[in-house]
Amino acid sequence: MTVLVTGGAGYIGSHICVELLEQGYQVIVADSLINSSEEAIERVEKITGKRIFFYQANLCHKQDVAEIFDEEDIDAVIHVAGHRSIAQSVIDPLEYYYNDIAGTLVLCNAMRKHNVRKMIFSSSAMVYGDLEVDDMPLREKSPCGKVSSPYGRIKVALEQMMRDIHHADPEWNIVLLRYFNAIGAHPSGLIGDYPKMTPNNLVPYIGEVAVGRQKSVGIFGDDYPTPDGTGIRDYIHVFDVAKGHVAALKLMEQEPAVRTYNLGTGHGYSVFDVIHTYEKVCGVPIPYEIRQKRPGDIAVLYADPSKAERELGWKAEKTLEEMCADSYRWKSNSNGYKF
Ligand code: UFG
């Protein structure tokens, strides 16, 4: 089976490619390299000893996408490409809406034209919006709260668009995977999270402090309605997220439908929990300072992942210690990628 991975040179995409290749799939990657490096593709090939067919393609450019579908025989698409910063989506919503919505429209049109109707879409826990602690853990059917950012609203819109596409043409087989907070790196230390700009996610930033590239971690708010006042998230190893995609691909043999799954561990950890666990695994103190809340942030978010376990036979395996240890190995053994 040949799978096109959009955004396959990025953080989550590159880990998905490793899993796919190790499970015997043929992999084609389309990536604009706007926030990623082709070196990640070379590293995936090094880890797996297998080849990836790479296209530098911006999904908003019809011609780029048409060329891939004209040349390749694609069975299914894993659509990971998209902007990733919640805070940046508040600052520049136009760029976020344009890139993510136009890119997905162009992709889906090319899929329709070439009779490819198997799609796994990277959605996000952010579609649940700002809910109360009592609403946790989040089930796929949980009532959604007020979505707090353009990033979340784009994911809601794209999920709905996928449902409409299936409704109009029931041959489309679509899996919506709602990622919680993917962290960690491949245990080889060869691939990991390496945004072009200074990271603004918690764990990559803690890593920068641990290796001495930054002085201290800013904690964005300590008066949330949580036990220690800091935000709570469901951190999941990127390896487990990648395995969730391979499990979802198996559903492509079943009757076409739109199926939605949480990819989380079911455990919520605060910012302090993560800082202390990272300190424990890397053996150096992580200085921090309390800062203002970040726009678009919410207090608490963790999954009920039992539907994915029941229907996909998938369950997250890695602990928070393993996530932090792999993140630290990636940070300390490498200078990231060349851009
Ligand atoms: N945080 C800090 N300091 C930092 C960075 C983050 O205190 O320097 C806090 C945030 O306020 C939040 C928690 O750490 O409480 C996690 O923040 P991240 O930026 O690491 O992650 P987010 O929950 O904001 O978002 C991430 C991805 C999204 C994805 C979401 C799913 O960036 O793409 O998880 O839950 F949708």
Side-chain angles (χ1 to χ4, degrees):
M1 189 177 196
T2 301
V3 182
L4 170 66
V5 183
T6 73
Y11 170 47
I12 295 180
S14 57
H15 288 81
I16 292 172
C17 291
V18 169
E19 275 309 300
L20 289 173
L21 290 168
E22 286 184 343
Q23 299 301 319
Y25 292 92
Q26 296 262 26
V27 177
I28 298 164
V29 164
D31 197 298
S32 66
L33 303 182
I34 287 171
N35 195 26
S36 57
S37 165
E38 198 174 341
E39 209 180 338
I41 302 284
E42 289 156 23
R43 305 259 184 104
V44 170
E45 292 180 330
K46 191 168 168 192
I47 291 168
T48 59
K50 295 187 177 157
R51 166 117 208 264
I52 286 180
F53 297 86
F54 175 66
Y55 288 83
Q56 182 167 357
N58 185 328
L59 297 186
C60 295
H61 300 164
K62 278 188 188 167
Q63 207 37 49
D64 286 6
V65 179
E67 188 191 328
I68 303 170
F69 280 86
D70 287 343
E71 284 184 18
E72 306 288 349
D73 213 355
I74 294 163
D75 297 301
V77 175
I78 297 182
H79 179 32
V80 190
H83 285 330
R84 55 179 280 190
S85 162
I86 293 167
Q88 191 58 29
S89 79
V90 176
I91 294 164
D92 194 355
L94 186 52
E95 168 58 28
Y96 268 63
Y97 276 97
Y98 180 71
N99 182 73
D100 291 19
I101 295 203
T104 305
L105 287 171
V106 170
L107 175 68
C108 289
N109 259 317
M111 289 174 69
R112 176 169 67 170
K113 188 170 165 214
H114 289 82
N115 230 354
V116 182
R117 290 189 172 80
K118 293 177 174 155
M119 160 75 109
I120 297 177
F121 174 63
S122 296
S123 186
S124 164
M126 288 296 149
V127 300
Y128 293 111
D130 201 355
L131 292 165
E132 304 294 323
V133 177
D134 292 348
D135 296 314
M136 303 298 137
L138 295 163
R139 288 176 197 85
E140 290 78 357
K141 283 197 169 152
S142 291
C144 293
K146 190 173 171 295
V147 178
S148 63
S149 63
Y151 175 92
R153 283 188 279 279
I154 288 165
K155 295 293 187 190
V156 170
L158 290 175
E159 281 199 359
Q160 190 53 52
M161 186 180 98
M162 302 279 166
R163 289 189 199 96
D164 290 341
I165 289 173
H166 170 82
H167 181 75
D169 176 359
E171 286 300 304
W172 279 78
N173 202 354
I174 298 170
V175 181
L176 308 173
L177 295 179
R178 293 177 175 166
Y179 307 162
F180 283 68
N181 288 55
I183 61 166
H186 192 269
S188 63
L190 285 172
I191 56 170
D193 197 359
Y194 194 68
K196 276 191 179 167
M197 284 155 283
T198 306
N200 60 17
N201 290 116
L202 179 65
V203 173
Y205 203 94
I206 294 175
E208 294 284 298
V209 176
V211 298
R213 285 199 284 264
Q214 298 289 338
K215 282 205 176 67
S216 71
V217 182
I219 295 183
F220 299 145
D222 67 347
D223 59 354
Y224 281 108
T226 61
D228 67 20
T230 66
I232 289 182
R233 295 290 183 277
D234 186 336
Y235 295 93
I236 175 170
H237 199 295
V238 63
F239 159 88
D240 283 320
V241 171
K243 283 182 103 76
H245 292 73
V246 177
L249 266 183
K250 309 240 159 78
L251 289 180
M252 294 299 160
E253 311 312 321
Q254 293 186 15
E255 198 178 319
V258 182
R259 300 175 173 91
T260 307
Y261 300 101
N262 286 337
L263 293 186
T265 65
H267 304 290
Y269 292 102
S270 73
V271 175
F272 279 122
D273 291 334
V274 179
I275 291 178
H276 295 322
T277 306
Y278 212 107
E279 280 177 326
K280 201 169 98 190
V281 302
C282 75
V284 294
I286 307 286
Y288 62 82
E289 53 191 69
I290 306 297
R291 300 222 185 109
Q292 280 189 336
K293 284 180 179 162
R294 189 172 58 172
D297 265 355
I298 57 183
V300 53
L301 206 60
Y302 58 92
D304 174 348
S306 58
K307 185 177 175 216
E309 187 175 358
R310 263 191 330 272
E311 295 184 16
L312 300 179
W314 169 92
K315 192 172 190 274
E317 292 164 12
K318 304 260 192 184
T319 62
L320 185 61
E321 278 79 5
E322 290 171 295
M323 301 176 212
C324 292
D326 286 340
S327 157
Y328 183 58
R329 186 177 307 108
W330 159 247
K331 283 285 175 189
S332 47
N333 286 357
S334 90
N335 289 319
Y337 304 124
K338 291 189 289 292
F339 288 120

